[in-house]
Amino acid sequence: MQVLLGVIFHFIGGFASGSFYIPYKKVKGWHWESYWIIGGLFSWLIVPPVAAYLTIPGFAEIIQGAAFPALCATFIFGVLWGIGGLTYGLGVRYLGVSLGSSIILGLCMVFGAIIPAIYYDFSPVAGKDTFSAMVGSTWGLTILAGLLLCIIGIIISGKAGVMKEKELKTAATDPHGAETSVEYKFGLGMFVAIVSGVLSACFNFGLEAGQEMATVANETWKAANPGEGEFLYRNNVIYVVLLWGGLTTNFIWCMILNARNKTFGDYTNQKTPLLRNYLFSALAGTTWFLQFFFYGMGESKLGNGPSSWILHMAFIILVANMWGLVLKEWKGVSKKTISTIIIGIIVIILSVLLVGYGNSLHV
């Protein structure tokens, strides 16, 4: 039952991440950098401490009492994760939307799931699974098989996307819906995609770096609620610090774009529906944060960092592809292309089931 709840929580989080950009499509008359940073202020600055305040008594004191190196590491990983997200667009530009997205998401999934487990081989932490424990057990090998299967699903989905781009010959859009100019440069594109994929995985590294704070929140809650299991909301205190890092990167870049494109006027432009734009940007930003709100709940039920990250990424990819079908983004392509994307989705679903089964074997 705990595993099932964990998978459900990860699905809700993946649904939020795969859907958060839809409110942005209702924003009118603003440039990307303007609505992105307004939404980001809710995602990274406003909503995280509100969520922590509502779920973790004394969260500010927990942050204040954390070791300075842990706070710095959590923040820096947030900054690096922000850079990974911003270089996503460059990978798409030089490799195309589908190939670039597939490589970046695949690398993000692999590095985010495996590197922390390898780290715990060299620096063991109670309650954290090591990579050697995974490869030496049935449950661990099952989870790794699920990771491999999900990567295969990403590759198939990427292939379908390449077929779609060739058939429709329309302007490319990235997974967030922004138009993207494609300028194929394979060597440079691969380098940028690798950098983006590795740095994007830093979000999971940041979660691991901030576990000291989550542990305090968890132990405090368990002492006050004996016999009720793990604390569902323990990760919320980490997000406050981690997302400050993401905000720093994105804020600097968006301000640079505002200055370069002379778009500071967007925020007060009376010719645009200002209230509507602010509300939909806030909704998008809040929805984005919900992915990690539920991620923390899922991880508390599964108790396994690698499998939680795999499930999180798999559900994001799955939901994003499903929205593409629902919104008829694949309208006009051949049956072969439709069949390819459906196969990719099915393979990703099977990977989710396999990872969930692996967790059920974990004692």
Side-chain angles (χ1 to χ4, degrees), residues 3 7 15 257 260 290 347:
V3 171
V7 172
F15 184 84
L257 290 181
R260 179 190 299 173
L290 289 177
V347 171

Side-chain angles (χ1 to χ4, degrees), residues 24-314:
Y24 279 137
K25 294 180 181 293
K26 300 293 185 180
V27 175
K28 305 298 180 184
W30 280 7
H31 296 76
W32 177 87
E33 58 269 22
S34 301
Y35 64 71
W36 183 256
I37 196 58
I38 293 299
L41 288 173
F42 282 85
S43 300
W44 309 313
L45 182 64
I46 298 173
V47 178
V50 171
Y53 173 78
L54 293 175
T55 56
I56 303 177
F59 81 95
E61 288 76 14
I62 294 175
I63 294 175
Q64 291 171 357
F68 185 70
L71 290 175
C72 283
T74 305
F75 177 81
I76 291 171
F77 278 128
V79 171
L80 294 174
W81 161 74
I83 296 173
L86 291 174
T87 53
Y88 194 118
L90 281 178
V92 166
R93 175 179 179 181
Y94 294 131
L95 292 176
V97 176
S98 301
L99 180 58
S101 297
S102 297
I103 292 172
I104 293 168
L105 291 173
L107 287 171
C108 182
M109 177 180 290
V110 171
F111 279 94
I114 301 302
I115 296 300
I118 294 175
Y119 170 78
Y120 288 126
D121 267 316
F122 298 94
S123 182
V125 174
K128 290 294 179 180
D129 294 309
T130 63
F131 186 71
S132 59
M134 294 181 70
V135 297
S137 62
T138 301
W139 66 265
L141 290 174
T142 304
I143 289 172
L144 292 176
L147 172 61
L148 177 61
L149 192 61
C150 193
I151 293 171
I152 293 172
I154 294 174
I155 294 172
I156 295 172
S157 299
K159 172 63 176 175
V162 171
M163 295 165 66
K164 170 192 170 189
E165 289 171 15
K166 289 181 179 178
E167 291 175 10
L168 296 182
K169 296 180 180 179
T170 56
T173 57
D174 72 14
H176 295 155
E179 288 195 2
T180 306
S181 59
V182 178
E183 178 186 341
Y184 284 102
K185 293 183 180 179
F186 184 78
L188 180 59
M190 285 296 295
F191 173 76
V192 173
I194 291 171
V195 170
S196 179
V198 173
L199 293 184
S200 294
C202 284
F203 195 98
N204 200 32
F205 302 165
L207 287 177
E208 300 298 335
Q211 279 302 308
E212 171 188 324
M213 292 179 283
T215 299
V216 173
N218 190 41
E219 293 304 320
T220 301
W221 184 87
K222 288 170 69 175
N225 301 272
E228 295 189 24
E230 301 297 313
F231 186 32
L232 278 177
Y233 308 112
R234 62 191 183 192
N235 278 3
N236 286 353
V237 67
I238 305 177
Y239 298 146
V240 176
V241 179
L242 180 57
L243 293 175
W244 282 341
L247 172 65
T248 301
T249 307
N250 282 269
F251 184 80
I252 292 173
W253 180 239
C254 286
M255 292 303 100
I256 291 173
L257 290 181
N258 275 148
R260 179 190 299 173
N261 300 331
K262 297 181 173 59
T263 54
F264 280 112
D266 285 351
Y267 305 114
T268 56
N269 187 355
Q270 296 294 328
K271 295 180 180 179
T272 64
L274 284 177
L275 179 60
R276 172 193 176 103
N277 286 357
Y278 278 106
L279 286 175
F280 277 110
S281 295
L283 177 60
T286 302
T287 302
W288 182 94
F289 173 75
L290 289 177
Q291 67 171 307
F292 289 115
F293 183 85
F294 285 100
Y295 175 90
M297 295 172 67
E299 189 180 36
S300 72
K301 291 297 182 184
L302 297 181
N304 183 271
S307 58
S308 283
W309 188 251
I310 295 166
L311 286 172
H312 178 69
M313 294 297 299

